[in-house]
């Protein structure tokens, strides 16, 4: 995501004021954290890496729900399943949105069994999950959105004041309104219908109280078909894209030990820049249960909304300059680790592994954080790459050169 002066200032002020102000809240007691559930929707989420019988039953049930139109048998009686993982990356999500549009135009985009997303990938995920009929929404969001459509920020003095007595630099009311405009009851009904045809949509957030990555089963939420479900669906999308310190955390009301509490959630990219398995699936599940007890084969596709190896540039010899470059380097190394993790899962499950990233040498700066001009350029780059049949990388980075644009 692009770095502005105000973002650098936030980091410095945050370190300076740590512990200076605390807002009241009602957190889950630590001994009850593992048992906390969403009221009236107890099975819609899990902690990553933790076995959950309800989530396991849901994914097993998905095979019986499958439509043969979506997942046909091949000549050998096997079913091939495509999975899509969408990374974080802020405004760089324009690349992924363009790639999905171009993939549709090429006529080679499959129906996905599982779609996952964090951060900007969480904003894209429901539309990617619903297929090419929703490509227009992705195009609109990532080519017409400006910074004022995402957040509101005041003066630098106001920023320092909010960090001393509040919880974030910016107000994400505009982003919440943008999500509400695009995610309505009709979209939820479409997500629920896809869920009932054996497909699954997962979005990740991070619970700061437990320091755990949380995976939300968005199809189960959508199936509730109620105002509360719609509010929760939007809330999860907002939480997954709420960059800590910059954006306010999102609070979820939960039940534990017969009482109501709140959980504080932030950007899913804090826990994983991109994810696929997260402990949701036993390693051999699809291979042994695919096609209603036949054989299943998996193709895992990862779209990274960023660059792994940008052009070098001098680092300013200041606390802010050094600090921001360190954060940037940490984020890039985290993505590489996630790609290796997903590749390891693919190997364990005898699945194919494919990933794509923004090519090296592409300039990704704009006049503002969310700049429609530069985002449109990234969208068109992603579109061209997919429509022309870009070569996917099939092993983790460092093992082979990046694919040419």
């Amino acid at each position: 995501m692009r770095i502005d002066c105000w973002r650098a200032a936030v980091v410095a002020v945050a370190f300076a004021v740590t512990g200076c102000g605390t807002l009241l809240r009602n957190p889950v007691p630590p001994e009850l954290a593992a048992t906390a559930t969403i009221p009236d929707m107890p099975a819609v989420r899990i902690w990553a890496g933790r076995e959950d019988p309800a989530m396991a039953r849901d994914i097993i049930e998905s095979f019986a729900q499958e439509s043969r139109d979506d997942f046909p048998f091949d000549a050998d009686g096997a079913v091939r399943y495509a999975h899509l993982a969408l990374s974080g990356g802020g405004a760089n999500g324009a690349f992924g949105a363009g790639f999905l549009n171009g993939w549709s135009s090429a006529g080679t985009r499959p129906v996905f069994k599982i779609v996952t997303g964090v951060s900007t990938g969480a904003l894209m995920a429901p539309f990617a999950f619903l297929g090419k009929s929703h490509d227009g929404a992705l195009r609109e969001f990532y080519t017409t959105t400006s910074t004022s459509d995402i957040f509101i920020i005041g003066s630098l003095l106001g920023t320092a004041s909010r960090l001393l007595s509040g919880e974030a630099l910016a107000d994400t009311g505009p982003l919440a309104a943008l999500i509400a405009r695009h995610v309505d009851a009709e979209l939820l009904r479409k997500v629920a219908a896809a869920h009932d045809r054996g497909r699954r949509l997962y979005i990740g957030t991070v619970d700061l109280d437990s320091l755990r990555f949380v995976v939300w089963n968005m199809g189960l939420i959508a199936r509730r078909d109620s105002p509360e479900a719609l509010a929760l669906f939007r809330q999860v999308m907002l939480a997954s894209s709420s960059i800590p310190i910059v954006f306010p955390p999102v609070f979820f009301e939960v039940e534990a030990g017969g009482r109501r509490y709140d959980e504080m959630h932030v950007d899913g990219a804090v826990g994983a820049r991109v994810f696929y398995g997260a402990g949701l699936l036993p390693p051999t599940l699809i291979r042994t249960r695919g096609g209603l007890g036949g054989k299943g084969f998996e193709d895992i596709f990862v779209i990274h909304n960023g660059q792994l190896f940008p052009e070098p540039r001098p680092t300013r010899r200041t606390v802010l300059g050094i600090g921001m470059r360190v954060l940037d380097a940490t984020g890039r190394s985290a993505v590489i680790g996630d790609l290796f993790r997903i590749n390891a899962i693919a190997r364990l499950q005898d699945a194919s592994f494919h990933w794509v990233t923004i090519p090296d040498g592409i300039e990704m700066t704009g006049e503002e954080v969310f700049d429609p001009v530069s985002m449109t350029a990234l969208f068109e780059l992603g579109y061209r790459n997919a429509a022309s049949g870009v070569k996917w990388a099939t092993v983790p980075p460092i093992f082979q050169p990046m694919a040419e644009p």
Side-chain angles (χ1 to χ4, degrees), residues 41 185 188-189 221-233:
M41 288 185 265
L188 249 66
R189 283 190 283 271
I221 296 173
R223 290 189 77 248
R224 295 303 295 258
D225 193 22
S226 67
E228 293 77 17
L230 177 59
L232 179 61
F233 197 101

Side-chain angles (χ1 to χ4, degrees), residues 144-156:
T144 65
T145 299
S146 61
T147 301
S148 61
D149 297 316
I150 302 297
F151 59 85
I152 300 171
I153 187 170
S155 66
L156 187 58

Side-chain angles (χ1 to χ4, degrees), residues 87-173:
S87 84
N92 296 333
F95 172 80
F99 193 94
L100 287 166
N101 273 255
W103 201 354
S104 295
S105 295
T108 56
R109 179 173 162 183
V111 173
F112 298 112
K113 172 73 173 179
I114 294 173
V115 173
T116 69
V118 293
S119 200
T120 200
L123 298 179
M124 299 165 59
F127 307 100
F129 180 69
L130 293 176
K132 62 182 181 181
S133 63
H134 287 71
D135 282 353
L138 287 173
R139 179 188 295 272
E140 177 186 350
F141 187 93
Y142 284 99
T143 60
T144 65
T145 299
S146 61
T147 301
S148 61
D149 297 316
I150 302 297
F151 59 85
I152 300 171
I153 187 170
S155 66
L156 187 58
L157 288 177
T159 295
S161 175
R162 281 191 295 275
L163 284 171
L164 284 166
S165 60
E167 57 193 6
L169 162 68
D171 173 9
T172 50

Side-chain angles (χ1 to χ4, degrees), residues 369-390:
V369 179
F370 286 83
D371 180 69
V373 174
S374 58
M375 290 167 66
T376 297
L378 278 178
F379 181 95
E380 292 173 349
L381 172 67
Y383 185 96
R384 291 194 305 270
N385 279 11
S388 63
V390 67

